[in-house]
Amino acid sequence: MANKGDRGKGQKLGSVLEPNVEPFVPRRGYDPRELRSWAKKTGFVSTFSGETERSMSGRRDLNERFNNDGFVDRVDLEKGGLEKHESISPKIEIDPILGRTRNRGVEIEPVSRDGNGRDNNGVLGLRDGAVRGENERRKNGVMEPISGPNIEVQRDGLNGNGNEAANRNRNMNGHGVEVNTPIVEEKKDDGHFDREVGINVYPDGDDLGDGGGWNQSPKIICGPRDNPGFGPLIFYGLQHYLSLAGSLIFIPLLFVPAMGGTDKDTATVISTMLLVSGITTILHSYFGTRLPLVQGSSFVYLAPALAIMNSREYRNLTEHKFRHIMRELQGAIIVGSIFQSVLGFSGLMSVLLRFINPVVVAPTIAAVGLAFFSYGFPQAGACVEISLPEILLVLIFTLYLRGISIFGHRVFRIYAVPLSVVIIWTYAFFLTAGGAYNYKGCSPDIPSSNILIDGCIRHAYTMKHCRTDVSDAMRTAAWVRIPYPLQWGIPIFSLRTSIIMIIVSLVASIDSIGTYHSASMRINLKAPTPGIVSRGIGMEGFCSLLAGLCGSGTGSTTLTENVHTIDITKMASRRVVEVGAVFMILFSFIGKLGAILATIPQALAAAVLCFMWALTVALGLSTLQYTQTASFRNITIVGVSLFLGLSIPAYFQQYQPESSLILPSYLIPYSAASDGPAHTGSKDLDFAINALLSLNMVVALMIAFLLDNTVPGSRQERGVYTWSSKEEITTDPSSLSDYTLPTRVERCFRWAKCLGV
């Protein structure tokens, strides 16, 4: 038996020093008050609640010492310290249905193993957090004695982030000699690693990291600083961007025609978005949070862009309408991005972080997707023989075929959107070539010839949205064209649009904050510090500034869908997204590539966006997993925020436009900026108020922010985000090394302590 003075020697991360431990017999039954006192002292949080406490990562020393009386020195979860002679208390978990606490047994329980380190069933003694943590050794209210020389310690990562890749169990070999038993990693058929705490195989091929098990940590194949090799870099880099095709290329297919742009303009905007996405992703990877996240055009900016382009002064404009609107959007995006940069680089975002929690983020992001319910299918419904098969096919790929693995890759889950688009695009081509959209006396040259013939006017809309040969971009686009700043002209700055984009940039920042936290958990990292988050928001503002100068039509922000891609592929290397970004930059120089994408029928693009908007709603609501979802407080706040976030804008949108040119029905809700009920005496202020209160995401944010920060509720109930602190950096500098700036950059910005440097 080791001497007391030698107990701390040779202990590794997460290991347990096991002398000859006598059977554990509690002195008395467990008193709930004692449990509450223990939880308060240790900072204990139940695994179900998901309160965003710091995950107990493998970088923190947790040394547990046992004495001869069968008691364990208590581990202080917050300070990493030890207190002696604390009896082992049972673990508490909140029942997800009733909201009551239930006993899940002691945290230290035995595993009866044979001489080979296996349990009596021949299975390695690894805990399955979902089943094997249950302790049924209760008899008449008193715990049974625990026998056996070997013990196993479960250390749950708080906030659902069981970051325990480095844990090892130390066992006795039967001769009184300590031996280290490493964790055994088992591989599934799809080539992905299972978790180190239990192996669960589901019939549909999902593991705990998918669906309902998002609050548990996956096994990441490649970490942020790892290099998977030349071949995997290219493969996974392209894979990341193909999986995000719905956000990158389909937005301009809808809003450019609504702005009065030509097919050539659509091709140019697509190329510009690819260039901006590539550049901003590399910048954020080196100088932002340094998480492996893709930057690109966001749906957050689409609704305000539609509100601005449908203002009264642009409705009857025919000559150079697209350029006028684009320059107005550029000016607004530039002002909003400057505000976002100041908010981040000044460190003010660190102050706001304490008020931004999952109950605020969830309805805000959900409202971003719900804002387009009156725009999505009305556009797709112009050609149901194309849009309905697309929606059905993408749902089949993502839901019914999600467990199918081909060569170790879940092809249908990762490439659901591009695969379905290629199939339906080919189907639409055969429909067009077969004459399905040929009408007597009508030419495919839309709209120049058919608007003059009464018999073709009613077919012009269908031909424009369904045919694959109406675009002249292939004939007019150059083979090589490099997008450049101010390519549409000098931006137009106005007070009304600037106010709108300043508020929208705040919504985009909140979207990114939730993505940062989710991404850090999915790739098994400690949560970033508030300074690192501020640095990321400031860099996103700078990236939006580049987007505004180049004229992509929307700002640049972190794509929330990227977290879903990382969760599926288990590939979290920064180099992967950087290589993919380089390819996007090269593709943006090929003018014909943007022209090819511009030939996608508008009905097909609208059908894809219907799925993408629905996915945005789902990803937003999934943020509630970090809270107590059974809490009446939380569900009331989210429900009220979503309902009023839809109902209040509907009140502003009911005011019909006063114009000689009647807008399409799907654009009328976005005309409230000029025709809304607000009248303050200032036209610019009226325009801004009407526009902002007609945006679902803005109203949902205001209501959720107000209620969550005024209605009483515990931190655990609210699921308060807990970011890493400066003290943790001082104690363990390597714990946040994945967020550290490059050496030369860090030397230049050492003065910026508020940015986590």
Side-chain angles (χ1 to χ4, degrees), residues 15-299:
S15 64
V16 177
L17 184 62
E18 292 193 11
N20 296 327
V21 181
E22 298 296 334
F24 168 67
V25 181
R27 294 179 177 175
R28 61 181 182 275
Y30 293 102
D31 185 354
R33 289 176 296 180
E34 180 184 356
L35 293 179
R36 286 194 295 268
S37 176
W38 173 85
K40 184 177 180 181
K41 292 178 182 178
T42 61
F44 174 80
V45 180
S46 63
T47 56
F48 176 80
S49 70
E51 178 178 355
T52 51
E53 296 292 338
R54 304 174 184 85
S55 64
M56 296 293 97
S57 66
R59 298 185 178 97
R60 182 175 296 182
D61 290 332
L62 292 177
N63 298 324
E64 294 190 356
R65 303 174 181 176
F66 293 86
N67 57 29
N68 295 329
D69 296 331
F71 294 97
V72 63
D73 296 340
R74 181 170 64 84
V75 182
D76 193 326
L77 298 181
E78 292 295 331
K79 301 178 181 179
L82 298 173
E83 291 185 14
K84 295 190 175 183
H85 305 295
E86 285 286 332
S87 61
I88 303 171
S89 298
K91 186 178 172 184
I92 306 171
E93 179 175 325
I94 303 299
D95 188 284
I97 304 299
L98 302 177
R100 298 196 296 252
T101 60
R102 63 187 183 189
N103 196 324
R104 291 201 53 194
V106 294
E107 291 183 87
I108 302 180
E109 39 177 50
V111 177
S112 179
R113 299 176 180 171
D114 56 21
N116 296 325
R118 297 181 176 272
D119 62 17
N120 293 334
N121 296 324
V123 182
L124 284 171
L126 304 178
R127 288 185 58 98
D128 183 351
V131 178
R132 296 179 60 188
E134 299 291 342
N135 189 346
E136 303 296 340
R137 302 181 183 90
R138 278 186 174 270
K139 287 186 178 181
N140 301 324
V142 180
M143 301 294 291
E144 278 189 5
I146 296 175
S147 61
N150 296 323
I151 64 171
E152 179 180 359
V153 175
Q154 176 189 7
R155 192 182 60 181
D156 288 338
L158 302 185
N159 189 23
N161 186 9
N163 205 2
E164 308 300 336
N167 282 0
R168 291 182 173 85
N169 293 330
R170 184 168 301 218
N171 300 319
M172 307 294 291
N173 63 2
H175 300 286
V177 181
E178 295 179 354
V179 293
N180 289 333
T181 303
I183 293 296
V184 178
E185 298 175 353
E186 299 217 4
K187 224 174 186 179
K188 291 168 62 177
D189 293 338
D190 60 358
H192 298 308
F193 289 100
D194 281 312
R195 288 157 189 76
E196 297 174 0
V197 285
I199 299 173
N200 290 315
V201 180
Y202 290 81
D204 61 355
D206 278 348
D207 55 22
L208 288 177
D210 306 321
W214 266 45
N215 61 338
Q216 302 190 22
S217 297
K219 173 62 181 177
I220 294 299
I221 296 177
C222 200
R225 291 181 290 176
D226 296 337
N227 184 3
F230 181 76
L233 277 177
I234 297 177
F235 174 78
Y236 285 106
L238 292 175
Q239 183 185 74
H240 261 73
Y241 277 88
L242 283 175
S243 65
L244 302 173
S247 301
L248 292 175
I249 64 176
F250 287 100
I251 292 179
L253 292 177
L254 287 189
F255 82 80
V256 172
M259 294 167 62
T262 63
D263 298 323
K264 183 179 179 180
D265 295 331
T266 302
T268 303
V269 173
I270 291 176
S271 297
T272 304
M273 281 190 171
L274 294 179
L275 175 65
V276 170
S277 177
I279 294 176
T280 55
T281 298
I282 293 176
L283 288 175
H284 194 271
S285 177
Y286 276 95
F287 310 113
T289 61
R290 308 212 70 192
L291 289 168
L293 298 174
V294 174
Q295 308 292 303
S297 55
S298 173
F299 296 128

Side-chain angles (χ1 to χ4, degrees), residues 333-346 348 352 498 501-503 505-506 509 537 541:
I333 292 172
I334 289 173
V335 174
S337 63
I338 293 175
F339 170 80
Q340 189 177 16
S341 295
V342 173
L343 187 66
F345 289 136
S346 66
L348 292 176
L352 291 178
S498 298
M501 282 301 174
I502 286 176
I503 303 300
S505 66
L506 185 60
S509 300
I537 297 300

Side-chain angles (χ1 to χ4, degrees), residues 624-673:
L624 293 174
Q625 66 182 307
Y626 308 127
T627 69
Q628 289 185 1
T629 52
S631 167
F632 179 77
R633 172 194 183 275
N634 293 344
I635 61 178
T636 301
I637 293 176
V638 173
V640 170
S641 301
L642 284 177
F643 179 80
L644 294 181
L646 295 176
S647 186
I648 292 178
Y651 167 75
F652 282 80
Q653 294 167 2
Q654 69 181 348
Y655 289 84
Q656 300 296 321
E658 300 173 359
S659 175
S660 58
L661 179 62
I662 302 300
L663 293 173
S665 59
Y666 54 82
L667 290 179
I668 289 179
Y670 302 98
S671 64

